[in-house]
């Protein structure tokens, strides 16, 4: 197969891959952030501690993460057809991709929130901040670099999953590599597809790292303010005692 013959195939299937990854990432972030926040808030010793909710939600997330993606695609065929009207092609692949990514991303969100300095949460509580004020003004802003890193990891994972989906009728570069590269012995096309997937992953990783570094630099100043606030609140009672 010549380059002129490969070019339209590569263009169309690259667009399909980007379509699948974009929409599955969108839904993973849209649903995964609330799930991850709820996992964090209901954990032992957290703001909304509820062991029952935490255990049940955690079990659901763990079950979702444990499913091999290829099996998940097959299991979800009736649900996918019900939701989007088709079970194959890029549109049909978005549903299992999103469902596979949601629990994965939710755990990353939970881990990111757990790394936020608990002293900042205590300082916000001392100033009268409610639970959702703390979530939106402290936890999410402070965890933003880690959340961007989580999105980056999720996108890279979904690029790999999209290739698997393509091999079973989902379209995209995976379908191109399997249908034309493997089944029709077009080695050059298969190699080109693999190189393109590697380039996609590399670009996503570089962009994600760049955003994380910039946000981390800004977050350092915010953390310094939080440390100063905690120190001031700690020293205030001592100063009052000495004055008395």
């Amino acid at each position: 197969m010549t380059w002129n013959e490969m070019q339209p195939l590569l263009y169309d299937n690259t667009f399909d891959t980007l379509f699948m990854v974009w929409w599955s990432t969108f839904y993973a972030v849209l649903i995964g952030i609330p799930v991850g926040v709820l996992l964090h808030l209901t954990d032992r010793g957290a703001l909304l501690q509820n062991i029952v909710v935490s255990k049940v939600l955690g079990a659901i997330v763990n079950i979702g993460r444990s499913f091999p993606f290829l099996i998940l695609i097959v299991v979800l065929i009736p649900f996918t057809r019900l939701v989007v009207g088709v079970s194959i092609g890029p549109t049909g692949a978005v549903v299992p991709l999103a469902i596979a990514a949601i629990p994965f991303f939710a755990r990353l969100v939970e881990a990111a929130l757990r790394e936020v300095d608990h002293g900042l949460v205590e300082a916000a509580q001392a100033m009268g901040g409610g639970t959702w004020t703390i979530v939106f003004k402290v936890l999410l802003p402070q965890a933003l670099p880690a959340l961007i890193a989580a999105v980056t990891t999720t996108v890279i994972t979904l690029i790999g999953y999209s290739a698997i989906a393509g091999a079973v009728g989902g379209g995209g570069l995976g379908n191109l590599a399997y249908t034309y590269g493997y089944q029709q012995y077009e080695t050059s096309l298969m190699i080109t597809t693999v190189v393109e997937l590697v380039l996609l992953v590399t670009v996503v990783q570089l962009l994600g790292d760049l955003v994380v570094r910039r946000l981390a630099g800004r977050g350092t100043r915010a953390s310094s303010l939080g440390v100063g606030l905690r120190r001031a609140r700690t020293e205030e009672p001592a100063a009052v005692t000495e004055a008395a």
Side-chain angles (χ1 to χ4, degrees), residues 35-233:
V35 173
V37 169
L38 191 58
L39 282 169
H40 176 71
L41 292 179
T42 57
D43 199 9
R44 191 179 302 276
L47 295 172
L48 298 178
Q49 176 178 312
N50 189 317
I51 302 303
V52 174
V53 172
S54 179
K55 294 294 185 184
V56 171
L57 188 58
I60 294 172
V61 169
N62 289 338
I63 291 171
R65 293 177 64 196
S66 66
F67 258 90
F69 182 64
L70 193 58
I71 296 175
L72 185 66
I73 294 176
V74 177
V75 169
L76 289 175
I77 285 176
F79 178 74
T80 301
R81 191 178 290 116
L82 177 66
V83 172
V84 296
V86 294
S87 60
I88 59 174
T91 302
V94 168
V95 175
L97 282 170
I99 291 177
I102 287 167
F104 177 80
F105 183 68
R107 280 298 186 191
L108 294 179
V109 171
E110 181 193 15
L113 296 178
R114 195 182 296 126
E115 295 301 316
V116 174
D117 186 354
H118 190 65
L120 294 175
V121 176
E122 292 177 343
Q125 285 179 306
M127 291 187 293
T131 299
W132 299 112
T133 299
I134 292 171
V135 169
F136 289 108
K137 298 293 185 180
V138 178
L139 289 175
L140 292 177
Q142 288 295 312
L144 190 55
L147 291 176
I148 296 299
V151 172
T152 302
T153 302
T154 302
V155 171
I156 290 172
T157 301
L158 284 171
I159 291 173
Y161 281 177
S162 71
I164 299 173
V168 291
L173 293 172
N175 178 68
L176 182 63
Y178 181 74
T179 303
Y180 289 88
Y182 176 72
Q183 290 188 330
Q184 298 186 19
Y185 304 102
E186 292 288 350
T187 306
S188 59
L189 180 60
M190 182 181 291
I191 293 173
T192 303
T193 304
V194 171
V195 169
E196 186 171 352
L197 287 169
V198 171
L199 287 175
L200 277 175
V201 169
T202 303
V203 169
V204 169
Q205 187 66 65
L206 290 175
L207 289 175
D209 289 344
L210 177 62
V211 175
V212 168
R213 282 196 298 269
R214 295 203 172 186
L215 289 175
R218 295 178 184 177
T220 302
R221 295 193 292 272
S223 296
S224 298
L225 290 174
V227 171
L229 175 62
R230 295 199 307 276
R231 186 176 299 162
R233 296 194 64 85

